[in-house]
Amino acid sequence: MNQRFLSIFLLGFSLTACKQVAVQTKTNNSEQHIIQPTFITEPVKHDTDDPAVWINPQDASKSLIIGTDKDIDGALYVYDLQGKIQEDKVVRNLKRPDNVDIEYGLILNNKATDIAVTTERFTHKLRIYTLPDMKPVDNGGIEVFENETGAEFRDLMGIALYKNKTGKIYAIVGRKSGPTDGTYLWQYLLEDDGTGQVKATLVRKFGAYSGKKEIESIAVDDELGYVYYSDEGVGVRKYFAEPSKGNQELALFATTGFTEDHEGISIYQTSKKTGYILVSDQGANQFHIFSREGTAQNPNEHLLLKVVKVKAVQSDGSEVVSVPLNSTFKKGLFIAMSDDRTFHFYKWEDMAGKELK
């Protein structure tokens, strides 16, 4: 789940009135301590898991949300900013897509191309689609974790995309289970294979694992060059996203105060170097919000700033953007998966309250 910091200047906003296909909710006076979503998406067929946001560079109000439907007969659902399914863009017949992420400007056929990448768990493949049309560019899927023994060591789960300062784009991938020797995550360089399709080259194996549960949620901070992931039941681990900077763990935080699993991670930027890291406390239906920049003494000391309860139930995947999208999401958009087969859309100012920017 990956935050992109884009400079988008909008001269005006327009929000077309829509029929009540997606549900717009209002605050219940008896639940004032629970943040209410502005929109709840139309439901998927089986089981929502993870969202990602593609920001339309020409018109941010036409941005899209991509969400996984996690099943053997699964799909990537595509929504507008009111939570309505864009049926012509939905990708079906996927074998349990788990997590999804987005990156901008992969060079294919000598053209900068935005992509959405999902992990297809039961085929052990990455599936890659162009944006905004959602056309496949992966030759039917790219196998990863090759030569690993046991399905649980190959069953794909988490993914985050990282674009470095030179424009190289990497996929950092996790699986259902893995070794505790510091090689749980594998990182692949994504490139054109010479025909306009994507190929993936393994560049490193890294990442500590406690062995307690699993690692699913992964998020990359492109601007600062860090990758974060949830070692469920333990905390959030932090590493350099750039392979050349090594595999030393920089931090383990969010180790206390969680009810059960640590899940979705998302990054809200208030500037190039400041902002917030949001981590799902799945069993408590809430998010713990930490400082992105750390402290003056230690940039890897991420202090807890606030805990926010949300309407979404048993939230696994999440995502946030910090740019204005339209007249509704003027300060950004936070998205949380809910176990009723939907995704919840929240205004950032509702999440931030008076305590955060």
Side-chain angles (χ1 to χ4, degrees):
M1 318 224 195
N2 191 359
Q3 171 62 32
R4 313 298 174 212
F5 191 84
L6 304 176
S7 297
I8 299 176
F9 297 92
L10 305 179
L11 298 177
F13 300 115
S14 63
L15 181 60
T16 305
C18 63
K19 296 180 181 180
Q20 289 296 337
V21 181
V23 180
Q24 186 169 7
T25 62
K26 296 182 179 180
T27 301
N28 186 323
N29 290 333
S30 65
E31 296 183 335
Q32 289 182 350
H33 62 290
I34 298 176
I35 305 300
Q36 301 292 313
T38 302
F39 294 105
I40 297 175
T41 66
E42 296 178 293
V44 304
K45 184 177 180 181
H46 301 289
D47 182 16
T48 49
D49 193 81
D50 187 50
V53 182
W54 176 71
I55 301 175
N56 188 316
Q58 279 75 47
D59 184 350
S61 70
K62 295 180 180 178
S63 298
L64 300 172
I65 286 81
I66 294 89
T68 57
D69 182 14
K70 185 176 62 175
D71 192 85
I72 187 63
D73 177 30
L76 285 181
Y77 278 77
V78 182
Y79 299 95
D80 65 13
L81 292 179
Q82 292 77 50
K84 294 192 298 181
I85 295 171
Q86 307 300 288
E87 195 62 47
D88 63 320
K89 299 182 185 301
V90 174
V91 178
R92 302 187 187 278
N93 300 314
L94 295 174
K95 304 304 180 185
R96 196 178 171 95
D98 201 289
N99 279 203
V100 62
D101 201 10
I102 284 168
E103 191 54 273
Y104 300 83
L106 179 66
I107 302 301
L108 297 177
N109 282 328
N110 297 314
K111 179 183 177 182
T113 305
D114 300 342
I115 57 170
V117 184
T118 190
T119 51
E120 194 174 39
R121 181 170 170 182
F122 291 157
T123 66
H124 314 138
K125 292 179 179 179
L126 299 180
R127 302 305 312 272
I128 304 176
Y129 302 90
T130 60
L131 285 161
D133 52 0
M134 297 299 290
K135 301 300 181 184
V137 284
D138 57 13
N139 282 315
I142 299 172
E143 286 201 33
V144 294
F145 294 113
E146 293 182 285
N147 302 319
E148 289 289 86
T149 57
E152 71 277 11
F153 273 47
R154 295 202 67 199
D155 284 352
L156 296 179
M157 296 188 73
I159 185 170
L161 301 181
Y162 164 56
K163 185 176 184 179
N164 71 11
K165 302 302 182 184
T166 68
K168 289 183 178 179
I169 293 176
Y170 299 89
I172 299 173
V173 190
R175 56 272 184 67
K176 179 67 176 176
S177 187
T180 57
D181 63 358
T183 61
Y184 195 104
L185 302 177
W186 288 19
Q187 184 165 350
Y188 294 84
L189 175 66
L190 302 183
E191 299 173 288
D192 192 322
D193 70 354
T195 70
Q197 299 289 299
V198 181
K199 68 176 181 178
T201 304
L202 179 64
V203 295
R204 72 162 168 165
K205 304 173 184 180
F206 74 101
Y209 170 50
S210 67
K212 290 190 174 182
K213 290 190 175 182
E214 61 192 27
I215 293 170
E216 181 178 8
S217 181
I218 310 170
V220 170
D221 188 327
D222 276 0
E223 192 73 38
L224 298 182
Y226 298 124
V227 55
Y228 302 88
Y229 63 89
S230 289
D231 190 339
E232 294 182 15
V234 175
V236 175
R237 300 185 186 272
K238 177 183 180 181
Y239 287 78
F240 286 116
E242 190 63 34
S244 63
K245 291 192 174 182
N247 300 335
Q248 178 184 356
E249 183 170 283
L250 302 174
L252 172 61
F253 64 98
T255 57
T256 61
F258 282 72
T259 304
E260 45 182 74
D261 289 349
H262 301 70
E263 285 285 358
I265 305 172
S266 50
I267 301 165
Y268 185 91
Q269 297 180 327
T270 55
S271 73
K272 288 186 177 182
K273 295 185 178 181
T274 62
Y276 310 107
I277 302 169
L278 294 86
V279 182
S280 176
D281 182 355
Q282 187 177 30
N285 304 330
Q286 62 190 16
F287 286 81
H288 295 224
I289 304 178
F290 301 86
S291 65
R292 176 186 176 221
E293 60 270 24
T295 65
Q297 295 75 29
N298 182 359
N300 297 315
E301 183 181 7
H302 300 283
L303 301 179
L304 178 64
L305 303 177
K306 184 179 182 180
V307 177
V308 178
K309 283 191 170 291
V310 295
K311 189 70 173 179
V313 177
Q314 287 285 319
S315 187
D316 197 337
S318 62
E319 183 59 292
V320 67
V321 295
S322 54
V323 299
L325 297 175
N326 57 22
S327 59
T328 302
F329 301 110
K330 292 182 287 188
K331 302 292 185 180
L333 164 66
F334 178 73
I335 304 169
M337 159 267 169
S338 183
D339 73 353
D340 59 358
R341 301 184 293 127
T342 67
F343 296 96
H344 290 197
F345 296 179
Y346 297 87
K347 296 178 183 179
W348 173 252
E349 47 269 52
D350 291 343
M351 296 291 292
K354 296 180 180 179
E355 299 90 346
L356 307 179
K357 293 181 182 179

